[in-house]
Amino acid sequence: MKWLDEQRAYLKKVGPARYWTMIVGTVLFVSIWSFSEVWVSGQIGWPEAYGVHCHRKCLLPWMWNSPKLLLDGSVPAIAMFALLWLPLPAFLWGISKLARNPKSRKRM
């Protein structure tokens, strides 16, 4: 229940309006991103149409084979490439912020 206690403390710290705005915004962003990825991959047949066959833990094989999307050159293929690669800089930025924060280092 440590996570729940942390969430309650954060709710008190930032206030209910900001807290719920962040929660709803995060859920909305992840939902839109996931829907977009599923829709675009259905449009172009990714990954099977590009010779990538994976059934479990597919993110790294998809990223490794994603330059095939750029060779296609169509707008949906380039959009799929962007959907695969754009979250990576945000993830790395978040990890770097956590690494610089001494309080969060204890949880890592």
Side-chain angles (χ1 to χ4, degrees), residues 33 37 41 46-48 52-55 57-69 80-81 84-85:
W33 181 77
E37 187 172 324
S41 68
W46 173 260
E48 289 83 11
V52 181
H53 302 286
C54 180
H55 301 289
K57 300 180 182 178
C58 297
L59 184 60
L60 291 177
W62 285 359
M63 292 178 88
W64 180 262
N65 290 291
S66 64
K68 294 177 183 178
L69 292 165
M80 188 67 202
F81 181 84
L84 286 173
W85 281 97

Side-chain angles (χ1 to χ4, degrees), residues 7-26:
Q7 292 301 309
R8 285 185 187 129
Y10 193 66
L11 173 63
K12 288 179 185 176
K13 180 180 177 183
V14 298
R18 187 170 181 199
Y19 178 81
W20 287 109
T21 300
M22 289 188 315
I23 295 294
V24 169
T26 300

